[in-house]
Amino acid sequence: MKRSIILAAIMALTMSANAQWFDFSTNNGRFDLGLQLGPTGIGTEFTQFGWGLSADIYGAHLDFLSAGPMYKYDNHVDVGPMAMVPDSTVTCINLGYQIPVLPWLRIMPIIGHCHTTHGYTDFSTVNVEVNDNYSAQMYHDYVKQGPAHHYLNYGGGIVVQPCKWVSIYGVYTTCAIYGGVSVSFSAFYEGD
């Protein structure tokens, strides 16, 4: 029994010496950009599936997640009593810091803001947006009604870096659950 405890202690010391736990110098020069998606507006009356962008600069994490209005690009047109369809928008902006636990694993405490609006998509209006390549896209007006609702958004995330160029992350906050993939642009400029 004593041998197994001593052996386990020696292995733990050896592993911790090689692991470089909580080495904040790994955040120096880090610059990552990523795409993310997941449900947003959780805990509010307007939950939607959204997408957004993230940036990690020297360990500081900033992300943006947005959804809606859901029916804005619907190709349905109606001038009758069903012309006004209830709709909403949700936007989350978060700020955090990546704490390097191991060289390939980081955790992030996050705090931010969630903003929701409620209104109607007006199917009696039709707008056409023409792109540079002359392709057209039809959309309807979104009419916001009432005041916007604001929520404190806080939680945490975990980042796994399987290789030095790519990170995969998941975030759980009071108003959103989302995941994403980011590319480390600073890894392309390293000499090794």
Side-chain angles (χ1 to χ4, degrees):
M1 180 69 172
K2 288 182 183 180
R3 286 184 186 175
S4 59
I5 292 174
I6 292 172
L7 183 60
I10 291 172
M11 288 178 61
L13 286 172
T14 305
M15 289 173 60
S16 65
N18 291 332
Q20 299 174 353
W21 289 65
F22 299 107
D23 183 11
F24 285 90
S25 68
T26 59
N27 284 341
N28 293 343
R30 179 176 292 281
F31 179 69
D32 297 0
L33 293 176
L35 293 172
Q36 59 197 21
L37 51 90
T40 186
I42 296 171
T44 72
E45 60 274 20
F46 311 116
T47 302
Q48 293 190 42
F49 196 83
W51 69 276
L53 303 171
S54 72
D56 300 310
I57 303 167
Y58 284 84
H61 175 83
L62 176 67
D63 69 36
F64 170 82
L65 193 66
S66 181
M70 196 178 329
Y71 301 107
K72 182 176 182 175
Y73 294 103
D74 194 310
N75 61 5
H76 183 80
V77 176
D78 194 349
V79 292
M82 296 299 293
M84 300 294 272
V85 176
D87 213 345
S88 61
T89 64
V90 181
T91 304
C92 288
I93 298 173
N94 301 308
L95 180 65
Y97 187 76
Q98 293 187 2
I99 300 169
V101 178
L102 293 168
W104 56 271
L105 177 68
R106 296 183 298 280
I107 57 172
M108 293 185 295
I110 288 180
I111 191 164
H113 177 261
C114 182
H115 173 95
T116 64
T117 65
H118 179 66
Y120 295 90
T121 295
D122 186 359
F123 281 167
S124 67
T125 63
V126 176
N127 303 298
V128 177
E129 185 178 88
V130 179
N131 299 330
D132 291 339
N133 59 358
Y134 301 107
S135 64
Q137 184 172 20
M138 180 185 85
Y139 67 94
H140 302 290
D141 290 334
Y142 170 69
V143 181
K144 185 184 121 190
Q145 287 192 329
H149 299 278
H150 303 275
Y151 303 91
L152 177 65
N153 192 25
Y154 57 91
I158 187 165
V159 181
V160 176
Q161 190 171 9
C163 65
K164 71 178 186 174
W165 300 284
V166 177
S167 295
I168 301 166
Y169 59 93
V171 174
Y172 178 80
T173 65
T174 56
C175 296
I177 301 172
Y178 54 96
V181 175
S182 63
V183 175
S184 177
F185 288 96
S186 58
F188 292 107
Y189 297 110
E190 292 177 356
D192 53 345

